[in-house]
Amino acid sequence: PDPVDRWPDVSIFYAEDKASGRLVGSARLQCNRSQPLQIERSIELPAHLQGKSLAEVTRMVVIAGYAHPVKLALVKAIHLYCIAMQIGGIVAASRPSLLRQYQGLGFEDLFGDHRLAPMAHGSGLDHHVLFRDTVTSEAHNRARNHPHYDFVFRTYHPDIDVFRAVAALPAALRRPLDRP
């Protein structure tokens, strides 16, 4: 853990192997309810996203060689969390080597020009800036006949129980974004 993990608007998602109980993957999600996203230290969000309720996913990792779709399950959990928290979209910074993985998870180039930007919270390395719209992603992926559509949007996974966890949060943590 690092200090960011303890910020009030940060949630840590993790996946564990059912048979062994071993932690096999995790992701960190920061919401912009109380402060700007980390990525905003490096880029200016497009005008249509400024002042909107957003989240940023970072540190999405899975144990190398693990055979199950852990990243996809993490993205599904994050998507459901964002719906429950009324967060309109998720930004992510991707190293070029991971771009195809993020695209396979439903993220698209935020600016539409495939630019690279050095990320202050990514050791100054160049990253692609990606976005996944929480509101339209289901319809968008259905229209594209995305290969993960059924897993993310149509399959019930009882182990991904995000709504009960969100309902248990104190009301102050569930409040909507209130910024101009």
Side-chain angles (χ1 to χ4, degrees), residues 5-180:
D5 293 337
R6 292 180 175 85
W7 288 359
D9 287 339
V10 167
S11 298
I12 307 297
F13 293 80
Y14 67 93
E16 65 183 22
D17 182 272
K18 287 183 188 180
S20 69
R22 180 175 69 147
L23 184 67
V24 295
S26 65
R28 177 168 65 196
L29 191 74
Q30 178 205 352
C31 302
N32 65 348
R33 294 188 190 286
S34 64
Q35 64 183 336
L37 300 172
Q38 290 186 90
I39 202 167
E40 292 182 78
R41 296 188 331 229
S42 303
I43 57 118
E44 184 175 335
L45 292 171
H48 72 280
L49 293 180
Q50 292 181 13
K52 302 293 184 192
S53 183
L54 300 172
E56 178 182 5
V57 64
T58 57
R59 294 190 167 200
M60 187 170 1
V61 296
V62 175
I63 290 177
Y66 193 74
H68 301 284
V70 177
K71 280 189 182 177
L72 190 57
L74 288 167
V75 167
K76 177 177 181 152
I78 288 167
H79 175 80
L80 292 171
Y81 177 85
C82 287
I83 289 171
M85 295 293 287
Q86 299 182 39
I87 296 168
I90 307 161
V91 295
S94 169
R95 293 188 318 257
S97 62
L98 297 175
L99 179 61
R100 290 184 67 154
Q101 283 187 37
Y102 275 95
Q103 289 171 330
L105 295 169
F107 287 85
E108 297 179 347
D109 185 80
L110 175 64
F111 297 106
D113 60 7
H114 306 288
R115 74 178 77 166
L116 291 168
M119 291 293 131
H121 64 305
S123 302
L125 298 174
D126 282 342
H127 285 69
H128 291 277
V129 181
L130 307 172
F131 185 71
R132 180 183 169 103
D133 190 301
T134 304
V135 177
T136 64
S137 65
E138 189 276 337
H140 182 70
N141 283 286
R142 181 175 11 96
R144 288 179 31 208
N145 199 23
H146 194 281
H148 302 308
Y149 175 79
D150 284 339
F151 181 93
V152 175
F153 298 105
R154 294 290 178 232
T155 305
Y156 173 63
H157 294 100
D159 296 335
I160 302 176
D161 192 9
V162 174
F163 290 97
R164 187 177 353 189
V166 168
L169 290 173
L173 294 178
R174 294 189 317 261
R175 75 186 188 293
L177 179 65
D178 188 21
R179 294 193 309 191

